[in-house]
Amino acid sequence: MTKNLPALVYGTLRPGEHNYTTFLEGNTIKETTVRVNGFRMYGGGGFPYITEGEANESIVAELVY
């Protein structure tokens, strides 16, 4: 049995962004926007990344299946 487990994507992999079109469009069965508390996003070196942040910080990301 195959399970459809979600992946959390952010930055340019979110729907409407250019890497979503390149890598994910047409390959997902469901996408849900989520807010993840306690993290912050940086755009260093052209590649966004997330790190643990303060309790009052959050990022917006997508769960893609």
Side-chain angles (χ1 to χ4, degrees), residues 1 3 9-10 12 16 18 22 29-30 41 44 47 49 53 62:
M1 177 189 309
K3 291 186 179 184
V9 300
Y10 55 91
T12 62
H18 70 278
T22 302
I29 59 171
K30 181 180 175 183
M41 186 179 341
F47 296 96
Y49 60 95
E62 303 288 326

Side-chain angles (χ1 to χ4, degrees), residues 10 40-44 47-52 57 59:
Y10 55 91
R40 68 174 67 126
M41 186 179 341
Y42 293 97
F47 296 96
Y49 60 95
I50 59 174
T51 64
E52 189 173 354
E57 295 179 297
I59 63 163

Side-chain angles (χ1 to χ4, degrees), residues 11-54:
T12 62
L13 286 172
R14 293 186 65 211
E17 299 293 335
H18 70 278
N19 281 328
Y20 173 85
T21 303
T22 302
F23 297 108
L24 296 176
E25 188 170 49
N27 294 308
T28 66
I29 59 171
K30 181 180 175 183
E31 300 160 357
T32 304
T33 302
V34 296
R35 182 171 293 277
V36 184
N37 295 322
F39 289 88
R40 68 174 67 126
M41 186 179 341
Y42 293 97
F47 296 96
Y49 60 95
I50 59 174
T51 64
E52 189 173 354
E54 301 296 323

